[in-house]
Amino acid sequence: MKKFFVTLLFIPLFSHSAQNFNAAKTKLVQLYKSNPQQTTFYCDCEYSWTGKKGIVDFSKCGYEPRKNENRAKRIEWEHVMPAENFGRHLQCWRNGGRKECKKDSRFNEMEGDLHNLQPSIGEVNGDRSNFRYSQFTKEFTQYGQCKSAVDFQTRKFQPREEIRGIIARTYFYMSDRYNINLSDSEHKLMTAWNKMYPPSNWECERNKLIEQIQGNDNKFVTQQCN
């Protein structure tokens, strides 16, 4: 009897042509369903899954909707570096913004990069918009016990301390991978946060899981986890 040997090739689940926001959301749901102990990015709230829909549990984290209770109840995938920040470097954005860039493969790759996406309470995701990260307050009352805050007048968003290092390493990753310039103030803030808040066990593990799915790691996380 002849024996046949099959060579299995490792093929990333995302190729550049297939990497986009819709595909990313499907993969992220799978990833976080497999790690149900994880909480929302900005407010540290527990949530559960009904199919592909994430439902936030306000009762355990003390979250209080600011304005939009329906949106607050659901999980949305937040771009840590906003789409406008990386999109505006492309001609498609100058031609017609995000809608026009949906036709651009490079934008789709950036928009669907798993390293830049985090589970967020929908209302907070919407309020953050494309505001810059900052530190401006010690009072946190907008969302109940949530330790993040937004300043709509100055268009700034202050994240809770526990995720500031994640944000910094995500910004450095996006800047490095897609040749996106950070302003002097952004670079200074991210450098400080990167040093002050080293990776947690989950950040290290998440980085490895995303590398298995997407085919590349965030080297700014890897170099601190090894």
Side-chain angles (χ1 to χ4, degrees), residues 178-210:
Y178 299 109
N179 195 29
I180 298 166
N181 293 326
L182 302 180
S183 69
D184 290 342
S185 60
E186 279 180 323
H187 193 273
K188 183 178 179 180
L189 180 64
M190 297 308 166
T191 298
W193 282 359
N194 183 42
K195 292 179 180 178
M196 291 173 65
Y197 306 101
S200 65
N201 290 337
W202 167 243
E203 186 180 352
C204 294
E205 179 63 21
R206 182 182 188 271
N207 183 45
K208 291 178 181 177
L209 292 171
I210 290 176

Side-chain angles (χ1 to χ4, degrees), residues 7-216:
T7 301
L8 298 178
L9 299 177
F10 174 74
I11 301 175
L13 296 183
F14 281 133
S15 65
H16 284 183
S17 59
Q19 187 170 312
N20 57 64
F21 192 30
N22 286 335
K25 287 186 284 187
T26 297
K27 295 302 178 185
L28 286 165
V29 170
Q30 296 171 356
L31 191 158
Y32 279 87
K33 277 185 175 180
S34 299
N35 294 274
Q37 74 277 20
Q38 300 308 318
T39 57
T40 63
F41 193 55
Y42 293 128
C43 296
D44 195 26
C45 289
E46 294 182 16
Y47 56 93
S48 58
W49 294 101
T50 301
K52 292 184 178 181
K53 293 182 179 180
I55 310 298
V56 181
D57 186 347
F58 299 154
S59 64
K60 293 183 180 179
C61 65
Y63 183 90
E64 296 177 8
R66 183 186 67 82
K67 186 177 180 180
N68 191 334
E69 184 172 354
N70 287 335
R71 192 170 182 183
K73 290 179 180 178
R74 70 178 187 238
I75 290 294
E76 294 180 359
W77 297 105
E78 160 76 322
H79 287 91
V80 177
M81 175 181 281
E84 182 176 353
N85 286 40
F86 52 79
R88 67 185 178 215
H89 291 266
L90 302 173
Q91 185 62 45
C92 61
W93 195 275
R94 295 187 284 273
N95 290 343
R98 193 168 191 161
K99 183 178 180 180
E100 188 66 25
C101 274
K102 287 290 186 180
K103 307 170 188 175
D104 187 283
S105 60
R106 183 63 169 170
F107 177 81
N108 286 329
E109 181 185 349
M110 291 188 281
E111 189 184 34
D113 195 308
L114 299 178
H115 289 291
N116 189 42
L117 292 164
Q118 295 283 351
S120 173
I121 289 174
E123 179 180 47
V124 183
N125 179 36
D127 285 353
R128 189 266 167 131
S129 183
N130 61 353
F131 297 173
R132 287 194 173 193
Y133 291 113
S134 182
Q135 291 179 242
F136 56 82
T137 186
K138 294 183 180 179
E139 298 289 329
F140 300 95
T141 59
Q142 288 170 306
Y143 308 106
Q145 296 177 28
C146 174
K147 298 298 184 181
S148 294
V150 60
D151 186 329
F152 292 101
Q153 289 188 331
T154 62
R155 298 177 63 81
K156 294 179 180 178
F157 187 91
Q158 180 172 314
R160 61 190 180 99
E161 286 191 37
E162 293 85 351
I163 62 171
R164 291 175 186 174
I166 300 173
I167 289 168
R169 288 178 283 279
T170 302
Y171 263 63
F172 287 146
Y173 164 82
M174 292 294 288
S175 175
D176 178 72
R177 185 166 180 82
Y178 299 109
N179 195 29
I180 298 166
N181 293 326
L182 302 180
S183 69
D184 290 342
S185 60
E186 279 180 323
H187 193 273
K188 183 178 179 180
L189 180 64
M190 297 308 166
T191 298
W193 282 359
N194 183 42
K195 292 179 180 178
M196 291 173 65
Y197 306 101
S200 65
N201 290 337
W202 167 243
E203 186 180 352
C204 294
E205 179 63 21
R206 182 182 188 271
N207 183 45
K208 291 178 181 177
L209 292 171
I210 290 176
E211 182 178 12
Q212 292 173 15
I213 298 169
Q214 187 168 283
N216 70 289

